[in-house]
Amino acid sequence: MNFGAGLGEGGWDDHGALRAALGRTAEGLGLDLPESDGNWGRLAEYVDARNGRRVMVYPPGEGRRTLQVNLQDNGTRLACGWTADLAEAVRATAAWTGGAGLEETRAQAPFIRFRPWALVHEREPFGVVELTWCAKLDRIHMPPYDRHPRPHAVLAAAYAQPVLRRLMPVNSHFNLWFSTSVEEFWKTRVGYIICPYDKGLYGVRNEGRLIARTETPEEAIAFVVAALPEGFGPAS
């Protein structure tokens, strides 16, 4: 069933009608979905508290006549996909919230895609720090983050440094810094902040003060590594 079937007068712009259409599609397929609730412009959000699984289905955006479907496990997006087929979106949601693995979910809904790291994590879960790095690096493959190669280049350059890879990467407004805590990472910053859009260059700042501007992300990361204090351990 595609978007042309089962919609009310609101059509593409009526998110309530689309949520209802997903419900009718699930009923027609004989599939059970968790309760859904629209949030922040999302079409629907399905949560199974028993296994920490969540499916977020976003409405069609400007110039795009497809649903975006994200699959999360305990707050981390492991897979996503785009489809105009309501039945496919329902099958993906039912499979994932029902406890199916990534490959099994993709077998039920072939539009779903995931990166190799997600499959590795599913088989042998990463620690919090490594999982955070993987999820952040993976964003370059997803809109709207794919429109911002400079922040990704900074993140990739940082990940290449073993001393930074053991810290929590933290982003805000595309800027990047590092923390020694996996929970209170806003309060436990260590080292400088890198600003990938600092007057067309890569800015290195500390408490708002400019330390340097570089032409490459690797040079900016080198400033951060050189200024790290001695004796700090990995993020915990």
Side-chain angles (χ1 to χ4, degrees), residues 138-211:
D138 197 51
R139 289 178 177 177
I140 193 64
H141 303 287
M142 280 281 295
Y145 302 104
D146 57 351
R147 299 196 296 268
H148 301 284
R150 292 175 67 89
H152 176 75
V154 171
L155 197 67
Y159 187 71
Q161 297 291 331
V163 68
L164 296 179
R165 197 184 309 159
R166 64 181 188 167
L167 299 174
M168 280 287 285
V170 186
N171 295 103
S172 177
H173 297 85
F174 300 116
N175 301 327
L176 174 67
W177 70 92
F178 308 93
S179 171
T180 56
S181 173
V182 299
E183 294 183 355
E184 295 187 328
F185 43 81
W186 293 93
K187 302 178 181 179
T188 54
R189 178 172 66 86
V190 57
Y192 297 153
I193 298 174
I194 301 178
C195 309
Y197 293 111
D198 198 328
K199 296 187 177 181
L201 298 173
Y202 296 89
V204 182
R205 294 180 175 272
N206 184 39
E207 304 296 340
R209 182 171 60 92
L210 180 67
I211 304 298

Side-chain angles (χ1 to χ4, degrees), residues 12-214:
W12 289 91
D13 297 325
D14 190 336
H15 299 170
L18 287 172
R19 282 197 296 270
L22 281 173
R24 289 193 297 270
T25 301
E27 184 177 356
L29 293 171
L31 296 174
D32 293 324
L33 300 180
E35 292 293 327
S36 66
D37 185 24
N39 186 25
W40 294 96
R42 297 168 187 159
L43 166 61
E45 186 170 357
Y46 300 91
V47 183
D48 191 321
R50 297 170 300 176
N51 54 27
R53 297 287 185 85
R54 182 185 304 265
V55 177
M56 300 164 69
V57 187
Y58 292 86
E62 183 177 353
R64 175 173 57 84
R65 292 181 61 84
T66 54
L67 297 171
Q68 177 181 322
V69 182
N70 290 348
L71 309 185
Q72 293 188 358
D73 183 12
N74 290 301
T76 300
R77 184 185 61 205
L78 299 185
C80 64
W82 291 262
T83 181
D85 190 326
L86 292 170
E88 275 204 327
V90 167
R91 291 191 185 99
T93 301
W96 186 248
T97 57
L102 289 168
E103 292 180 312
E104 184 181 352
T105 299
R106 185 169 62 183
Q108 296 293 322
F111 76 96
I112 290 295
R113 295 289 181 268
F114 48 84
R115 307 287 293 172
W117 69 266
L119 200 59
V120 174
H121 168 69
E122 181 179 67
R123 294 169 177 169
E124 188 172 348
F126 298 148
V128 175
V129 175
E130 178 67 7
L131 181 59
T132 300
W133 276 104
C134 287
K136 286 182 178 291
L137 287 164
D138 197 51
R139 289 178 177 177
I140 193 64
H141 303 287
M142 280 281 295
Y145 302 104
D146 57 351
R147 299 196 296 268
H148 301 284
R150 292 175 67 89
H152 176 75
V154 171
L155 197 67
Y159 187 71
Q161 297 291 331
V163 68
L164 296 179
R165 197 184 309 159
R166 64 181 188 167
L167 299 174
M168 280 287 285
V170 186
N171 295 103
S172 177
H173 297 85
F174 300 116
N175 301 327
L176 174 67
W177 70 92
F178 308 93
S179 171
T180 56
S181 173
V182 299
E183 294 183 355
E184 295 187 328
F185 43 81
W186 293 93
K187 302 178 181 179
T188 54
R189 178 172 66 86
V190 57
Y192 297 153
I193 298 174
I194 301 178
C195 309
Y197 293 111
D198 198 328
K199 296 187 177 181
L201 298 173
Y202 296 89
V204 182
R205 294 180 175 272
N206 184 39
E207 304 296 340
R209 182 171 60 92
L210 180 67
I211 304 298
R213 287 195 181 101
T214 69

Side-chain angles (χ1 to χ4, degrees), residues 154 192 194 202-204 214-225:
V154 171
Y192 297 153
I194 301 178
Y202 296 89
V204 182
T214 69
E215 294 186 354
T216 70
E218 289 79 12
E219 290 172 315
I221 289 298
F223 273 98
V224 173
V225 172

